[in-house]
Amino acid sequence: MTRCRMCQSEDLRLFLDLGATAPADEFLTKEELAAPQTAYPLQVMSCGGCGLVQLGQVVDPEILYQKDYPYEASVTRAGRRHWDEFAATACTMMRLGSSDLVVDFGSNVGVLLEMFAARGPRVLGIDPAPNIVAIANGRGVETLCGFFNVRTAEAALTLKGQAKVIAATNVFAHIDDLDEVMAAVDSLLTPDGAFIVEAPSLANLVHHLEYDTIYHEHLSYISVKPLAAFLARFGMHIFDIHEKDIHGGSIRIFIRRDGAPGPDATDAVARHLEIEDKEGVYDMARLERFAEDVAENRRQIREIIGELKDQGKRIVGVSAPAKGMTLLNYCGLGKDVLDFVTEKSRLKIGKFTPGQHLPVLPDEALMEERPDYALLLAWNFAEEIMGNLSDYADAGGKFIIPIPTPRIVE
Ligand SMILES: [Zn+2]
């Protein structure tokens, strides 16, 4: 990629290189292990024009999403609570009634839309992964199969009419052609509607050293300054921003047409611009220091795990989220140090992790095998996971939390 996807500037500056990496959601069957693993560069750039942090290369979305995409959004309790609160907030803020339509794109198996439907509005999902769409429709959440673009927006319009809320949770940052997304939003959104984008925030990523949220699906790392300038090109603006704890710190951004009726805009944009300046997310020297801290984190993780292996300890990974694959691959944690990883999702169990080819076993394997240490790859849900694994801890099992500073929890 040679141009910034928000401002078209060619002034893209590399500050972090995580190395050639397999796509984080490409879990492999036993038969697929024999084929050579395809890896793509994972390089992070800052735009000198608008400040958007983004990947330097775009992997074809057909490769990333349409082949048995293994992510089901409903698997954690904390996740379900989060989506319920999202729906409650949007219903109140936008005064949604039973005739209003909510469209969610990248709707996965329909968890968020179920929460909306329970409160009255009509709902429609749009998602590109056929296996996921089949699950959503099977659960009674009407879902179209496709990427969100002008064509699928027209299909939604024909089927259901305009939407008073268009939601995009953990998907906006995944899309290369954002101009197309805005054209689709423009055709589908009612004049008084809200486009609600939720994504991990760059300020949190930098502050908490969350480099493992960098993988090929995440093309952009969302911050308010470049987004506000981008939206202005389409006659839209941000009228509120809520901070959320999920995924290591996300921002929920409320967007509407310029001149649209509704609640007064809050001071959230100004407040977030201050936070971003304080974190230094538009400062190359700060971003380069971030990259040095990432390298130091790897050194410490390898040191801790190397010492434990020298003592003959058995270590496994717990849960296999996409972010965990960045950590395993960047830190080079393979079969020589980790016996296996465990996971709840039946879409991953029985397969092998991309890149390191670790076997994925069900969570029960932890109690059956009783390894000495469990490396928490979904460290953002560490409390819930350690709570669920209290039997393992009671039996003497210990946890390793890798980020921001690797530490052992006994
Ligand atoms: Zn830019």
Side-chain angles (χ1 to χ4, degrees):
M1 195 178 67
T2 53
R3 286 173 183 274
C4 169
R5 74 171 50 81
M6 282 193 182
C7 79
Q8 308 301 324
S9 167
E10 293 181 15
D11 181 14
L12 297 178
R13 308 165 182 187
L14 175 69
F15 66 91
L16 175 65
D17 190 344
L18 295 171
T21 308
D25 274 311
E26 200 176 276
F27 283 74
L28 305 166
T29 63
K30 195 168 183 147
E31 294 70 40
E32 288 166 337
L33 287 180
Q37 175 89 57
T38 315
Y40 304 88
L42 199 48
Q43 295 179 322
V44 193
M45 336 278 274
S46 170
C47 173
C50 73
L52 179 69
V53 167
Q54 53 204 295
L55 295 188
Q57 289 81 16
V58 176
V59 179
D60 183 349
E62 308 268 333
I63 293 171
L64 295 182
Y65 299 108
Q66 296 199 307
K67 186 192 153 240
D68 290 341
Y69 190 62
Y71 179 66
E72 280 184 287
S74 58
V75 289
T76 70
R77 274 201 309 280
R80 292 190 69 85
R81 267 201 310 277
H82 176 81
W83 302 126
D84 190 49
E85 183 273 335
F86 185 115
T89 301
C91 283
T92 305
M93 181 184 260
M94 300 307 293
R95 301 171 186 274
L96 296 182
S98 57
S99 62
D100 291 319
L101 174 68
V102 176
V103 169
D104 184 18
F105 65 90
S107 50
N108 202 267
V109 296
V111 177
L112 175 61
L113 287 176
E114 271 178 337
M115 307 293 185
F116 272 106
R119 291 173 167 82
R122 299 176 299 128
V123 301
L124 179 69
I126 301 177
D127 196 279
N131 66 320
I132 295 286
V133 168
I135 296 172
N137 281 311
R139 298 170 80 233
V141 180
E142 191 174 353
T143 304
L144 304 178
C145 189
F147 292 102
F148 185 68
N149 51 31
V150 172
R151 195 178 53 77
T152 49
E154 290 296 330
L157 201 56
T158 305
L159 198 62
K160 300 277 182 183
Q162 283 191 312
K164 192 161 178 186
V165 165
I166 299 176
T169 62
N170 300 311
V171 65
F172 189 75
H174 298 46
I175 297 173
D176 187 24
D177 189 348
L178 294 178
D179 282 40
E180 171 84 16
V181 167
M182 294 313 296
V185 167
D186 188 39
S187 77
L188 187 57
L189 191 68
T190 61
D192 60 347
F195 175 34
I196 308 175
V197 171
E198 188 170 288
S201 85
L202 175 63
N204 273 305
L205 188 158
V206 169
H207 185 86
H208 297 293
L209 201 69
E210 295 164 357
Y211 67 89
D212 59 342
T213 59
I214 297 167
Y215 47 89
H216 294 108
E217 290 165 26
H218 290 167
L219 297 174
S220 309
Y221 298 84
I222 299 298
S223 56
V224 172
K225 187 171 90 168
L227 181 62
F230 171 75
L231 293 169
R233 270 175 46 208
F234 301 91
M236 295 195 192
H237 66 278
I238 299 169
F239 66 97
D240 204 357
I241 300 171
H242 296 173
E243 286 177 70
K244 295 290 151 191
D245 288 337
I246 200 156
H247 296 307
S250 290
I251 45 179
R252 184 181 298 161
I253 303 165
F254 297 82
I255 298 161
R256 66 184 172 200
R257 300 174 194 277
D258 294 344
D264 288 340
T266 67
D267 64 354
V269 170
R271 207 168 62 239
H272 277 268
L273 292 178
E274 270 176 42
I275 292 170
E276 289 172 358
D277 270 337
K278 195 170 130 261
E279 293 297 342
V281 301
Y282 305 116
D283 171 6
M284 270 311 276
R286 172 67 183 98
L287 294 175
E288 280 160 7
R289 204 167 73 242
F290 171 81
E292 287 164 17
D293 293 343
V294 169
E296 173 61 17
N297 177 271
R298 169 168 67 179
R299 196 195 61 73
Q300 291 180 10
I301 287 174
R302 292 178 62 88
E303 183 175 277
I304 287 175
I305 287 182
E307 281 169 7
L308 294 174
K309 290 313 287 182
D310 287 347
Q311 296 163 21
K313 303 295 187 191
R314 287 187 71 200
I315 310 172
V316 304
V318 167
S319 77
K323 63 165 57 184
M325 303 309 106
T326 294
L327 189 98
L328 294 179
N329 286 316
Y330 175 69
C331 294
L333 304 178
K335 284 179 274 197
D336 51 332
V337 291
L338 298 179
D339 292 7
F340 54 84
V341 300
T342 70
E343 169 66 40
K344 261 197 186 63
S345 169
R346 63 203 157 86
L347 299 178
K348 294 180 181 175
I349 292 168
K351 293 191 172 180
F352 295 82
T353 63
Q356 299 296 339
H357 296 178
L358 298 166
V360 183
L361 305 183
D363 278 347
E364 293 74 39
L366 199 63
M367 278 312 285
E368 288 159 13
E369 297 285 330
R370 303 267 189 96
D372 302 295
Y373 289 83
L375 172 66
L376 295 186
L377 296 172
W379 51 264
N380 49 321
F381 293 114
E383 293 304 320
E384 179 175 337
I385 292 170
M386 288 194 289
N388 289 344
L389 300 178
S390 56
D391 286 355
Y392 166 74
D394 291 344
K398 300 178 180 68
F399 298 100
I400 305 170
I401 298 179
I403 284 180
T405 304
R407 64 193 171 98
I408 290 171
V409 178
E410 309 214 351

